Amino acid sequence: MRTAGWTEVCRLDDIPRQGARVVATPKHGQVAIFRTLDDTAFALEDRCPHKGGPLSQGIVHGHAVTCPLHSWVIDLGSGEAAAPDKGCARRIPVRVEDGIVLLASGAQP
Ligand code: FES
């Protein structure tokens, strides 16, 4: 851990662009960390708000992911499903520092 409240997860380069990696966390459960084409990292609970599909196995496009099960589109920044679908995947605070991905390990936001 480099900073209180944040836990190192992996290097950003360990995640393919437009891909994801799943990490098991004691606090947040299975978390999908996404890397977009512009090298932004996002983290969501790896559970689609529709029927629990693994968002980490979806297709990343822009700052969104399409669920592999029934193709809901989930905004990576907000976790919200695109209209007309309704639902929200839980976001986990994430940041990248010196190429290292850090997840919030402290209290829920
Ligand atoms: S479980 Fe994700 S769209 Fe149905």
Side-chain angles (χ1 to χ4, degrees):
M1 183 184 302
R2 344 182 118 195
T3 313
W6 295 87
T7 302
E8 289 187 16
V9 179
C10 62
R11 299 193 56 78
L12 186 63
D13 284 345
D14 294 338
I15 307 171
R17 286 197 172 102
Q18 295 186 291
R21 163 179 277 217
V22 181
V23 293
T25 70
K27 202 104 186 167
H28 310 290
Q30 296 290 108
V31 174
I33 301 172
F34 298 91
R35 178 184 181 186
T36 57
L37 202 54
D38 62 4
D39 285 337
T40 307
F42 294 95
L44 295 175
E45 184 180 20
D46 192 19
R47 210 182 132 69
C48 178
H50 180 217
K51 292 192 175 174
L55 294 176
S56 57
Q57 293 175 33
I59 305 289
V60 175
H61 45 97
H63 283 189
V65 61
T66 297
C67 178
L69 294 196
H70 316 98
S71 301
W72 279 27
V73 175
I74 308 297
D75 184 277
L76 292 172
S78 67
E80 297 275 355
D85 301 317
K86 287 189 189 330
C88 189
R90 193 156 54 96
R91 286 179 301 139
I92 315 298
V94 63
R95 65 192 177 96
V96 178
E97 189 180 296
D98 298 332
I100 304 289
V101 179
L102 302 139
L103 270 188
S105 51
Q108 287 287 77

